[in-house]
Amino acid sequence: MSRRTPTRPAPCPCGHPLPYEKCCGRLHRGEAAAANPEELMRSRYSAFARRDEAYLLRTWHPRTRPPRVEFDPAMRWTGLAIEETADGTAFHATGTVTFRARYTDGGRPDSLHERSRFERVDGAWVYVDGDFID
């Protein structure tokens, strides 16, 4: 008689130890809204990792939103580090998040370093645009 060890769900792609379903998954499914720009940034990173175009477009500012999101099949997102946040509290209408997102492209490791801008639209945080760093 063998005992099976229950498997633990993998942590969320955004880097939090919670499983995806309880972390970014609830935002992707529309069960919750991001409370601040950092939470939105993390959920958008997870959406890129999971190739969730609908969520990415829904959380993109209408002024800067592209018609669609193209995913590179050779690219795999492998980690996210938040370096700095500014503003973005309940008392702000804008905020920024500086992050480094690691990925592999055709197996070659690389990273994206960006300072992203966020705004509230009808009470919800959305991604506006960003400046590449490095």
Side-chain angles (χ1 to χ4, degrees), residues 71-95:
F71 296 105
D72 181 343
M75 185 177 276
R76 299 284 179 260
W77 296 98
T78 59
L80 175 67
I82 302 296
E83 295 180 349
E84 181 180 19
T85 62
D87 298 331
T89 70
F91 303 104
H92 296 105
T94 63

Side-chain angles (χ1 to χ4, degrees), residues 6-27:
T7 57
R8 297 179 88 185
C12 191
C14 80
H16 280 159
L18 288 173
Y20 166 78
E21 294 301 321
K22 292 184 178 179
C23 191
C24 292
R26 63 193 176 79
L27 279 75

Side-chain angles (χ1 to χ4, degrees), residues 77 79 100-104 108-114 133-134:
W77 296 98
R100 185 176 298 273
R102 293 183 312 281
Y103 64 90
T104 60
R108 292 180 310 278
D110 206 344
S111 68
L112 168 74
H113 197 196
E114 181 178 307
I133 302 169
D134 295 343

Side-chain angles (χ1 to χ4, degrees), residues 5-62:
T5 304
T7 57
R8 297 179 88 185
C12 191
C14 80
H16 280 159
L18 288 173
Y20 166 78
E21 294 301 321
K22 292 184 178 179
C23 191
C24 292
R26 63 193 176 79
L27 279 75
H28 293 174
R29 292 187 305 273
E31 297 168 2
N36 55 55
E38 180 180 342
E39 188 173 29
L40 183 62
M41 174 63 237
R42 288 179 176 282
S43 70
R44 286 177 56 83
Y45 171 85
S46 290
F48 272 105
R50 297 178 64 89
R51 299 171 190 241
D52 185 342
E53 179 184 29
Y55 181 77
L56 291 166
L57 292 174
R58 192 168 67 243
T59 58
W60 214 310
H61 196 291

